[in-house]
Amino acid sequence: MSLANNTFSNPSRVLQRNESLFINKNILVAGNIDDEYPLQLQTLANSSTFCFSDYRYYSAIKDKLKTSKVHFTDNYQGETKFDLLLIFLPKAKQETLYLLANLTPHLQPGASIILVGEKKCGIKSAESLLASYSSRINMIDSARHCSVLHAQLDQQVKTFKQSQWIKTYHINVNNTELQICSLPGVFSYGELDKGSELLLQSLPDNIEGRVLDFGCGAGVIACYILKKHPQLKVDLVDISAFALASAKLSLQSNQLQGNVFPSNVFSEVTEKYNLLLSNPPFHSGKNTDYTAAESFINQSTNHLKLNGKLSLVANKFLNYEPLLSKAFSNLTIDQQNNKFKVLSCITKNS
């Protein structure tokens, strides 16, 4: 079986040049898996287990991986001992360290550890991340602005304790105190984002009905809403397994109740809401990517009740106003400073 190269990311294309590494191995795969190369890997390996942390890619491929074990998880647990661990390098260094700590206890002594990633994700300096696990680390390939690092597990591995990786911090907004918990890789890891803070400061005193915290991250917005209005029903959605786990921890830490679940935009959302709140993600690289935000804004009208309100915070340079004006009948700027703006709309659609 061979899949077309143009369906693969650059890291996967470099792995194609090194597929002898995976033949007849029992492999464990995690990290930034964002294409269909797992379909190729499962044909090479003796057995394959995939740990996805991004719900978009997990939901798109899980039913195609018919001979593999597939997990959407922030904390893999299993009894199988693998002889090869492959990690597609995440952008956040702390997330790579977390994955290594979580997954290496599931390896046999002498197992291979392979990191693959792009230079912009830090693969050139990733050798230091493997030093605790191996004394033999080699860069075995480099192409398409990507590299492949190979190491052999020859160091003792510590038992993984997720609690040691949770950053807990206190916030106080409008005299409302909260304790927030976050795992590596989660937006604004270990601190309150200034945009989210401005959104919270702009909220009205009276909120009723059902609320959705879209792209919930560590659950800051939902926890704030529930602390001030404990009678509300609040749903929290995100594509990140690490974010969802963090949100659950934040709710527990503040003795609050919310409904936390994964969703690719609104793919798993069935309710309609009185209030939809978000600090929506966007890609800010060489070109600003509005794709996710555009899908979110366009679909949000289908998930708001009559006269339901959408409020979001955005960097001032992000031009969301045309998207919102097209989808809604009115638009206001509730609050702004030199970096952020809070935009609100009220739908007239049933």
Side-chain angles (χ1 to χ4, degrees), residues 9-16 35 88 116-118 144 146 148:
S9 65
N10 284 333
S12 294
R13 292 188 191 187
V14 179
L15 287 178
Q16 277 190 298
D35 61 16
F88 287 83
V116 61
E118 299 184 81
R144 296 180 176 274
C146 300
V148 181

Side-chain angles (χ1 to χ4, degrees), residues 36-301:
E36 292 200 338
Y37 190 60
L39 299 180
Q40 184 83 355
L41 285 172
Q42 77 171 356
T43 68
L44 300 167
N46 179 54
S47 72
S48 50
T49 298
F50 296 92
C51 297
F52 289 84
S53 59
D54 189 315
Y55 190 72
R56 293 171 297 180
Y57 304 113
Y58 165 77
S59 57
I61 202 173
K62 63 183 176 69
D63 292 333
K64 299 178 183 179
L65 290 166
K66 298 185 183 299
T67 61
S68 304
K69 293 182 179 178
V70 188
H71 305 272
F72 175 70
T73 181
D74 61 285
N75 183 7
Y76 173 73
Q77 299 178 42
E79 300 300 321
T80 302
K81 291 293 184 180
F82 300 91
D83 47 30
L84 188 147
L85 169 63
L86 169 62
I87 295 178
F88 287 83
L89 200 69
K91 289 182 180 179
K93 176 183 175 182
Q94 283 295 318
E95 187 176 340
T96 304
L97 289 170
Y98 177 95
L99 288 172
L100 286 167
N102 176 220
L103 300 175
T104 51
H106 301 282
L107 299 181
Q108 297 175 1
S112 295
I113 303 173
I114 298 173
L115 299 185
V116 61
E118 299 184 81
K119 291 179 182 178
K120 64 182 181 182
C121 292
I123 189 66
K124 288 292 186 182
S125 59
E127 185 173 330
S128 62
L129 308 183
L130 293 169
S132 299
Y133 304 95
S134 176
S135 59
R136 288 177 282 181
I137 306 165
N138 298 294
M139 185 175 291
I140 59 174
D141 202 354
S142 186
R144 296 180 176 274
H145 307 288
C146 300
S147 295
V148 181
L149 287 177
H150 181 278
Q152 186 174 15
L153 181 64
D154 59 14
Q155 305 294 317
Q156 188 170 357
V157 176
K158 297 179 181 178
T159 301
F160 179 72
K161 295 181 180 178
Q162 189 184 59
S163 59
Q164 296 175 346
W165 293 85
I166 300 168
K167 274 195 175 182
T168 302
Y169 58 99
H170 289 82
I171 66 172
N172 188 329
V173 180
N174 295 336
N175 296 317
T176 300
E177 294 190 10
L178 293 165
Q179 183 168 279
I180 303 300
C181 306
S182 62
L183 290 167
V186 177
F187 171 68
S188 197
Y189 176 47
E191 62 181 358
L192 176 62
D193 171 70
K194 294 298 182 183
S196 295
E197 184 176 10
L198 186 69
L199 175 61
L200 297 181
Q201 291 171 344
S202 73
L203 294 177
D205 291 332
N206 296 318
I207 298 175
E208 297 179 350
R210 197 174 191 114
V211 180
L212 176 67
D213 180 356
F214 182 89
C216 64
V220 172
I221 294 171
C223 286
Y224 177 86
I225 289 287
L226 285 165
K227 188 72 176 284
K228 290 182 70 72
H229 309 280
Q231 80 283 359
L232 293 176
K233 291 185 177 180
V234 179
D235 291 346
L236 299 80
V237 300
D238 206 292
I239 58 170
S240 166
F242 297 110
L244 296 167
S246 300
K248 290 177 182 178
L249 289 167
S250 294
L251 288 167
Q252 292 169 7
S253 182
N254 294 284
Q255 291 86 49
L256 301 170
Q257 297 292 324
N259 182 30
V260 184
F261 59 96
S263 185
N264 179 11
V265 192
F266 289 102
S267 67
E268 310 303 322
V269 177
T270 58
E271 298 289 341
K272 288 197 173 187
Y273 298 90
N274 301 89
L275 178 61
L276 202 165
L277 297 171
S278 185
N279 185 345
F282 70 96
H283 173 70
S284 181
K286 191 172 183 180
N287 299 303
T288 302
D289 185 358
Y290 289 98
T291 304
E294 187 169 8
S295 297
F296 159 62
I297 290 169
N298 288 341
Q299 295 177 38
S300 63
T301 55

